Amino acid sequence: MGLNIKGRHFLSLLDYSPEEIRYLLDLSKDFKSMKRSGMPHRYLEGKNIVLIFEKSSTRTRCSFEVAGMDLGMGVTYLDPGSSQMGKKESIADTARVLGRLYDGIEYRGFEQSLVQTLADYAGVPVWNGLTDQFHPTQMLADLLTIEEEFGFLKGLNFTYAGDARNNLGNSLMIACAKMGLHFTACAPKALFPAEDLVAKAKEIAIESGGSVKLTEDIKTGTTNADIIYTDIWVSMGEPDDVWETRINLLKPYQVNAQMMANAKPEAIFMHCLPSFHDTNTTIGADIAAKFGIKEMEVTNDVFESKRSRVFTEAENRMHTIKAVIYATLH
Ligand code: CP
Ligand code: NVA
């Protein structure tokens, strides 16, 4: 294939060419079929990785752990608060320590500049497991899920409904632009992605044959969509007092049966998860009691419908993360 990304960091898809993303998706497919057929792939025996989480996680943490173990590696998990990082030791010092002990470092935290600093000092590949701005490993899983569904990526109509300036909105806009999808952010103006990032995405889309559009209008934003994607309305790290404003802003952008009916008949629903589609969580129940809303960014009927691909996306996190680890370390 002629592509080699050994030694590279994985901080944002902005740093990766469409050919490199294609290579990672193809590698993910290989790993998925190896896993499905029970073929061992302990290609990285003797190596060790560390996972730093400053925010909580189910999918990302478990995907890195299972991927690491399947590849034959040792895996250390550092939970929020259990290391010295940030409190007694700077990110730069932590990076220089961990870089001497491990072959790769995953980091989930707040500002993108933190994972960048870690990468600048570690001397080994650093993988972004989510920051306030970007969630690149999620993107690979989402692109893989879409390609498995439709057989291709280029030219598909992708609508992101909801908080379009969060890590998912930003990342999906870039991922779609890189791979030639037609991306629409369907959101209130106050939650449009930052202008400079939109300009960058539009430039990238010119190269790939895709496009980038922002609209407040739900009908315009969702008509003929092949994919409708949403994410929670208040992200990790945001204060609780934004819930009320966010609910008021985003209630019209809830993905429900009416919105799905605007999309193509074969359209799929996607969500990175976790999702507030019912009140079976403490936060979901608390919001229902406070604001009288039992389903937030997606209704339970859409979440549970045959058009929903959310659990395939979750599984694909592991196969794609395995591809990133392997490609950057082997
Ligand atoms: N989608 C995702 O990143 O999930 P976790 O927060 O559970 O890792
Ligand atoms: N926007 C969400 C994504 C979770 C995977 C958050 O940052 O909390």
Side-chain angles (χ1 to χ4, degrees), residues 56-261:
S56 49
S57 168
T58 298
R59 276 146 292 273
T60 310
R61 175 199 174 166
C62 297
S63 295
F64 269 97
E65 290 211 19
V66 172
M69 291 186 284
D70 282 355
L71 288 167
M73 294 191 290
V75 182
T76 303
Y77 169 68
L78 293 177
D79 67 16
S82 80
S83 76
Q84 310 281 24
M85 192 168 87
K87 299 173 289 290
K88 283 167 70 181
E89 196 158 31
S90 69
I91 303 263
D93 291 355
T94 307
R96 285 177 286 183
V97 172
L98 296 179
R100 287 181 180 231
L101 304 183
Y102 293 95
D103 299 285
I105 303 172
E106 180 277 353
Y107 175 82
R108 167 173 287 197
F110 296 88
E111 297 90 30
Q112 183 75 9
S113 60
L114 300 175
V115 74
Q116 184 63 59
T117 304
L118 200 58
D120 290 345
Y121 286 89
V124 296
V126 171
W127 309 296
N128 178 2
L130 178 147
T131 60
D132 292 345
Q133 212 180 349
F134 293 116
H135 195 7
T137 61
Q138 178 75 49
M139 294 308 100
L140 293 179
D142 294 342
L143 290 170
L144 179 62
T145 307
I146 295 169
E147 195 163 75
E148 285 175 339
E149 180 72 28
F150 296 98
F152 60 94
L153 295 172
K154 257 188 199 304
L156 289 169
N157 296 328
F158 183 104
T159 295
Y160 178 86
D163 181 3
R165 38 101 261 173
N166 74 7
N167 39 23
L168 263 293
N170 290 340
S171 303
L172 287 163
M173 178 170 68
I174 299 302
C176 288
K178 289 262 177 187
M179 302 312 281
L181 288 85
H182 299 295
F183 175 85
T184 301
C186 186
K189 251 199 188 95
L191 299 175
F192 277 177
E195 276 174 27
D196 56 341
L197 195 64
V198 174
K200 222 177 261 180
K202 284 187 172 169
E203 229 169 84
I204 295 168
I206 294 171
E207 295 278 308
S208 68
S211 61
V212 173
K213 196 169 81 184
L214 314 177
T215 181
E216 287 198 292
D217 186 75
I218 288 154
K219 189 89 185 157
T220 314
T222 55
T223 299
N224 270 330
D226 292 294
I227 301 117
I228 295 190
Y229 196 119
T230 191
D231 183 19
I232 50 169
W233 290 343
V234 176
S235 286
M236 289 183 279
E238 293 195 296
D240 281 348
D241 61 15
V242 300
W243 270 110
E244 190 169 4
T245 347
R246 221 39 87 63
I247 289 170
N248 291 332
L249 274 172
L250 289 172
K251 222 170 161 187
Y253 297 89
Q254 179 191 61
V255 181
N256 50 35
Q258 205 185 338
M259 185 187 278
M260 288 304 291

Side-chain angles (χ1 to χ4, degrees), residues 13-29:
L13 284 196
L14 283 169
D15 307 330
Y16 278 75
S17 69
E19 294 71 28
E20 288 167 341
I21 297 169
R22 162 62 35 222
Y23 162 64
L24 288 170
L25 292 175
D26 290 344
L27 199 52
S28 306
K29 287 180 194 170

